[in-house]
Amino acid sequence: MRRRTFVFATLGTVAALVVGWGAMPPRQRLRGSNPLPVGANEIALNGWVKVAADGRITVAMPKAEMGQGVHTALAMLVAEELDCGWANVRVEQSPIDKIYGNVAGLAEGIPFHPRDEGMMARGTRWTMVKVMREMGLMMTGGSSSIRDLWQPLREAAAMTRASILHAAANAWQVPIGELSLAEGIISHASGKRASLGEIVTQLGAKLVPIEKYTLKPASQFKIIGQALRRTDALAKLSGTAVFGIDIAPPDMLYAAIRMSPQPGGSVKSFDDRAAKALPGVAQVIRVDPAHGGSGGVAVVADRYWRARKALDALTIEWDAGAMAGVSSVDIFSKLNAALTADSGYMFWEVGDTDAAMATAARTLEGEYQAPYLAHATLEPMNCTVEFKDGRATVWVGTQVPDFARAAVAKILGLDEKQVNVVVLYLGGGFGRRLEVDYIAQAAAIAKQLPGRAVQVLWSREDDMQHDFYRPACISRFKAGLDKQGNVVAWQNMSAGQAIVPVYMPRNAGMPGIGPDKTASEGAFDQAYAFLNAKISHLTVELPVPIGFWRAVGHSHQAFFKESFVDECAYAAQIDPFQFRAALLRDEPRQLAVLKLAAEKSGWADALPAAIDGATRARGIALHESFGAIVAQVVEASIGADGELRVHRVVCALDCGIAVNPNIIRQQMESAIVFGLTAALYGQIDIEDGRIKQSNFHDYQMLRLYQAPLIETYIVPSTEAPQGIGEPGLPPIAPALSNAIFALTGQRLRSLPLTFASLSQGRP
């Protein structure tokens, strides 16, 4: 509590110093530092929407498309407010400008309970919104794209609509209220008609932004809420979509790199004579560690395979750096020791837990752990850089284009305005492409070959063994139950590395100050009605490189929390669904989601045996993350061959207004498969500072035949839309674990939930 008081007192002092500034509303997000670039016969009345003479509507898109469907959903917001017709809408990459900075996702990183409405919490949230608007950091992550742009994009479209209607009304000399706009056609009762494109052609010079406009109420939505086809579907199905790995400028060279066997290590010395003598090799370059990455030696050649094979001809002596001697066994020993020695930072405390625990009729304790995890994106890390005539062009799939630009500019000695970042489709991100180590590496190599574009492409082994991993974590619980089985006291303390304090310095050159919410999210910020609770996290500094992984802290804290809630339910001899429902008595939205999942899964009904006669059982879990509430029920069995099988997953969620229900279902399915993969197989092991796993043979993915039937049910809502890309992941591991307990009577408290752990009877 002393630490919490100190941090909040510091925040309060800072807030007091900027009270005048903080009381003002955040800066507008409609007009950028420079006008939105337009082509011939186009107009732009703000920084987001362009209208062309042929009626084409172009949306400036600051968010990366990495399979989550965000380009489609965001374009739908514009089509809705502009009434331009869905077929007329296109997207193009936005410039790098502060108006495109992510406000919602980054501002929510403060360590307050979401239901804390105290003055400190409200003031800090308001201040953070303003701070992030001023910083303007462009970022795709945190399931924040729709939440962040729900208001600005709709306002930009509504402004464009109002401006064009105003100009048409003046030209036709009719009251603006008598005009209607539908499917891109403006019409009047007198018979006058014109398309948006025709108005632009006729009145382009007279079109000026109109500041008075209104947004549609949800009752008038025609586009939002429809399961429209994705804008990227055809290109990806036909193979014409361009990812970073597809770029091939004229006369391009290819670079392959041999990096330190220990992440973060560097090169002591190397002999490149044999490599240089091989066909096609243009240059051999030493690459120093940058932005948290590893040092290595790159071979540049006229063909990628020639560059890759030439690496085997190098003789390299390495400096292991901070990872020398590090092992997974030692790491978990340190985490355990830390939990015993310190109480950590108290993220949430309510009531008198110690006193309540003393009155409990029964107490339970449990310890859970989760391993390091790799991102394993389908498209390995790659970046292409051309350094020519005092300028640079960067072709890359990235979640942080302005961090990428800054990294390249620094390495090449350029002003950031001299660097053009072309953001392409990402073949998976999951947080890995929030890093810029691979981009800095490509810039350093291209610097040695001015005038030629150079593409750096990592192998799968490079990618797996030089990741920024999901942190390993240990969590300890203690709960007190009264005679009726009610939770009277809840204690939870976890230990692991913190991401933000290391991410910000290596990528933004900024200190990561204050407690890292992501370390404890999913543990302290949930809706269960614990009248007496203490929830803390202890940050342990370790040399293993860590980063944001899909759902971040929720990805493992949900497993810990929902598994132990299940333990409490069984100890109280209360049905796990009913036990959770009682804890959600004051949370109608959460309770509605939980009930919907139970109803659609047939929770109260007996489960028939599997086709082979094996007994099936269900497990349930509920979790809120990134603003969305998700409950899942898993049906599983264990076959005669000892294989654990997941037959069916029923997923219910409340994510606010469903902009595109089809995309929401796709993202739930994606997150469930991703989460099942991690729950069943995901684990990164470290020996002598080296990552043992190297490819998909020892970092296994869920196979098609193992994928369950997934049913997704969306609770209708009029609340603002919330996150979708990550919230489907956290509940799947605990729901599966709870199903395994129902099947076997064994409580698995460690991830992954492999059958080996069942056969060994590991607690």
Side-chain angles (χ1 to χ4, degrees), residues 522-540:
F524 82 95
D525 50 1
Q526 296 304 297
Y528 290 134
F530 298 134
L531 298 180
N532 303 283
K534 287 182 179 179
I535 302 172
S536 62
H537 180 84
L538 178 64
T539 296
V540 180

Side-chain angles (χ1 to χ4, degrees), residues 254-270:
Y254 298 83
I257 186 164
R258 178 66 46 80
M259 288 181 278
S260 167
Q262 287 91 355
S266 58
V267 176
K268 276 188 179 180
S269 63
F270 68 98

